[in-house]
Amino acid sequence: MTALEPRLLEVRKNVLKQNDIVARSLRDRFHTAGVFVVSLVSSPGSGKTAFLEKLLTMLRSNYRVAALVGDLATENDAARLARSRAPVKQIITGTLCHLEAAMVQNAINEEKWDLGQLDFLFIENVGNLVCPSSYDLGEDLRVVLLSVTEGEDKPLKYPTIFNSADVAIVTKSDLAVPVDFDWPATQRNIQAVRPGMRVFQLSAKTGDGMQPFLEFLAERLAESRAAAAV
Amino acid sequence: MTALEPRLLEVRKNVLKQNDIVARSLRDRFHTAGVFVVSLVSSPGSGKTAFLEKLLTMLRSNYRVAALVGDLATENDAARLARSRAPVKQIITGTLCHLEAAMVQNAINEEKWDLGQLDFLFIENVGNLVCPSSYDLGEDLRVVLLSVTEGEDKPLKYPTIFNSADVAIVTKSDLAVPVDFDWPATQRNIQAVRPGMRVFQLSAKTGDGMQPFLEFLAERLAESRAAAAV
């Protein structure tokens, strides 16, 4: 759109290439340690932090869990997640609208977390439906969240982030009635951009629908460890 | 965060400088034509399009209005806004998470709109709380929208976009009760990042709170024309 764009694109390509190298090394490290890594992406206010707090609290009785959380400017989310009593580290991105693999690597190194002592590591990305799509963080599973209050058209309007994710979660299902949420339209729009994508619907506030997602995570962890043992 | 960042920053600075030149020329053109230009920024799903549809419909009886609407991938918003019967043009940004001044300029030229025949031109940016902050579009007034369902902490977490805006609107006030919306906390957080910022609270769905914003726009248009006449 400007005369400078080709040069900007080239520099961006180099940044992404560099990110892919770090992400690959992170992924190897995660697999060697046997930790299953899940990242969360969504627009601001979709309920990533509320969902993650609930998830960490529910998983803690049976699994060893930790979380990294990215934000532009505050440590609010780490403070909220700390209530789950799981180890949590905030990553401040400044003006960057996404996490990069190097930030994840630095945070893990700074915290001196022993990845071999973890079952699940969660990475909550900066709230953004565009920027995080292109940055591999070495995760095993990328989850895109969409709240019932945002409107059913979001998958069509932000197809790249839905394409880069493995599963989708529709959050705040307790508000589905007051906002006249159209579940069939949402399913149709998700399937249009990402055919076959598995979609969960839940409310972190009431706990409804959390259990199927917990079971799904347990299965994925077991599968990942079985594959590593072969 | 990567070895390439200084170079990336330099290229970004050039893109922004180029954008500022186009924005300045747009602003001159808007002032000469006597059209008051309002841009809207918010996260995806905050209700920009619903608000704008309501606004265009209400303004159309007394003013000549038009709208440009930015989106990554669809023409859905232009189709929705067309129901207001005001002239509307969609700008597709592809993978870009913000509008740039050159895109606004091109859209106006392509549509051959006679700006001298307009009172208000609205520009709805891509849904994003980060990227649009640095791009001047030549507008007279930048409005940041925040829905009651997104959480009261958004101004603290995305201070730059609140700082780049002139007024804030809290949308979906009809949902304030079911989400236990904390209005004093929101006000406190907005004022913490942008002291003195004027904040409107409204619901495009019920129409509650629209009238004070319409009066505010009418005042701003009158002021702007009075200043131009001096």
Side-chain angles (χ1 to χ4, degrees):
Chain A
M1 298 298 158
T2 76
L4 289 156
E5 206 170 65
R7 190 148 76 93
L8 186 63
L9 280 178
E10 188 204 319
V11 178
R12 270 197 191 138
K13 230 183 271 173
N14 286 336
V15 170
L16 284 175
K17 205 169 137 189
Q18 176 64 24
N19 184 76
D20 280 345
I21 295 167
V22 181
R24 211 158 26 230
S25 116
L26 267 181
R27 185 167 281 117
D28 288 345
R29 198 170 151 195
F30 294 151
H31 285 180
T32 307
V35 58
F36 191 82
V37 181
V38 181
S39 78
L40 308 179
V41 292
S42 83
S43 87
S46 296
K48 283 186 299 305
T49 313
F51 168 66
L52 190 49
E53 184 184 346
K54 187 79 178 177
L55 198 60
L56 292 172
T57 306
M58 291 177 82
L59 285 169
R60 263 192 77 245
S61 42
N62 296 308
Y63 297 97
R64 299 158 305 171
V65 294
L68 295 172
V69 48
D71 231 318
L72 266 69
T74 72
E75 304 236 348
N76 293 4
D77 287 353
R80 284 172 66 190
L81 292 175
R83 297 186 300 210
S84 71
R85 313 194 59 171
V88 175
K89 163 83 173 165
Q90 181 87 46
I91 304 175
I92 303 279
T93 64
T95 57
L96 273 191
C97 48
H98 58 266
L99 286 175
E100 294 182 6
M103 300 177 197
V104 171
Q105 190 175 48
N106 292 344
I108 292 170
N109 293 346
E110 274 171 30
E111 291 299 295
K112 298 191 174 66
W113 280 344
D114 181 354
L115 296 174
Q117 295 300 311
L118 287 178
D119 298 308
F120 291 106
L121 171 64
F122 295 92
I123 306 173
E124 181 185 335
N125 217 314
V126 177
N128 204 296
L129 275 185
V130 183
C131 317
S133 353
S134 334
Y135 292 85
D136 184 3
L137 303 178
E139 68 270 62
D140 295 292
L141 185 81
R142 184 175 291 188
V143 181
V144 59
L145 288 83
L146 171 71
S147 70
V148 297
T149 63
E150 284 170 67
E152 295 80 3
D153 59 346
K154 292 300 164 290
L156 301 179
K157 293 173 79 173
Y158 300 89
T160 315
I161 199 107
F162 279 81
N163 267 310
S164 86
D166 303 294
V167 297
I169 297 182
V170 175
T171 59
K172 307 193 189 180
S173 62
D174 54 296
L175 293 173
V177 173
V179 300
D180 300 320
F181 180 66
D182 187 342
W183 171 249
T186 305
Q187 263 289 11
R188 208 160 49 236
N189 292 342
I190 292 174
Q191 300 304 323
V193 296
R194 188 87 156 92
M197 190 179 223
R198 180 142 179 202
V199 187
F200 295 86
Q201 190 175 8
L202 53 83
S203 164
K205 193 174 178 182
T206 65
D208 282 348
M210 289 293 296
Q211 201 53 45
F213 188 73
L214 260 70
E215 285 161 19
F216 170 75
L217 282 185
E219 280 164 29
R220 292 298 306 266
L221 174 68
E223 278 167 24
S224 158
R225 288 190 173 158
V230 173
Chain B
M1 295 297 159
T2 76
L4 288 157
E5 206 170 66
R7 192 150 75 93
L8 185 62
L9 279 178
E10 189 204 318
V11 178
R12 271 198 191 137
K13 229 182 274 171
N14 287 337
V15 171
L16 284 176
K17 206 169 136 190
Q18 176 62 25
N19 185 76
D20 280 346
I21 295 167
V22 182
R24 214 164 15 234
S25 114
L26 268 181
R27 184 167 284 116
D28 287 346
R29 198 170 150 194
F30 294 150
H31 285 180
T32 306
V35 57
F36 192 81
V37 181
V38 180
S39 78
L40 306 179
V41 293
S42 82
S43 86
S46 296
K48 283 184 297 307
T49 313
F51 168 66
L52 190 50
E53 185 185 345
K54 187 78 178 176
L55 198 59
L56 292 172
T57 306
M58 291 177 82
L59 285 170
R60 261 192 78 244
S61 43
N62 296 309
Y63 298 96
R64 298 158 304 171
V65 294
L68 295 172
V69 48
D71 231 319
L72 267 70
T74 72
E75 304 236 348
N76 293 3
D77 287 353
R80 283 171 66 190
L81 291 176
R83 296 186 300 211
S84 72
R85 313 192 60 170
V88 176
K89 162 83 173 166
Q90 182 87 46
I91 303 175
I92 302 278
T93 65
T95 57
L96 273 192
C97 48
H98 59 266
L99 286 176
E100 293 182 6
M103 301 177 197
V104 171
Q105 191 175 49
N106 293 343
I108 291 170
N109 293 345
E110 274 171 32
E111 290 299 297
K112 298 191 175 64
W113 281 343
D114 180 354
L115 295 174
Q117 295 300 314
L118 286 178
D119 298 308
F120 291 106
L121 171 65
F122 295 92
I123 306 172
E124 181 184 335
N125 217 314
V126 177
N128 204 297
L129 275 185
V130 183
C131 317
S133 355
S134 332
Y135 292 85
D136 184 1
L137 303 178
E139 68 270 62
D140 294 292
L141 185 80
R142 184 175 290 187
V143 180
V144 58
L145 287 83
L146 171 72
S147 71
V148 299
T149 63
E150 286 172 65
E152 296 80 2
D153 59 346
K154 292 298 163 292
L156 301 177
K157 294 173 80 176
Y158 300 88
T160 315
I161 199 106
F162 279 81
N163 266 310
S164 85
D166 303 294
V167 297
I169 296 182
V170 175
T171 58
K172 306 192 189 181
S173 62
D174 54 296
L175 293 172
V177 172
V179 301
D180 299 321
F181 180 66
D182 188 342
W183 171 249
T186 305
Q187 263 288 10
R188 210 161 46 238
N189 293 341
I190 292 175
Q191 299 305 321
V193 297
R194 188 85 154 96
M197 190 178 222
R198 180 138 178 206
V199 187
F200 295 85
Q201 191 175 6
L202 53 84
S203 163
K205 194 174 177 182
T206 65
D208 283 347
M210 289 293 296
Q211 201 54 46
F213 188 73
L214 259 70
E215 285 161 19
F216 170 74
L217 283 185
E219 281 164 29
R220 291 300 305 268
L221 174 66
E223 278 167 25
S224 157
R225 289 192 172 161
V230 172

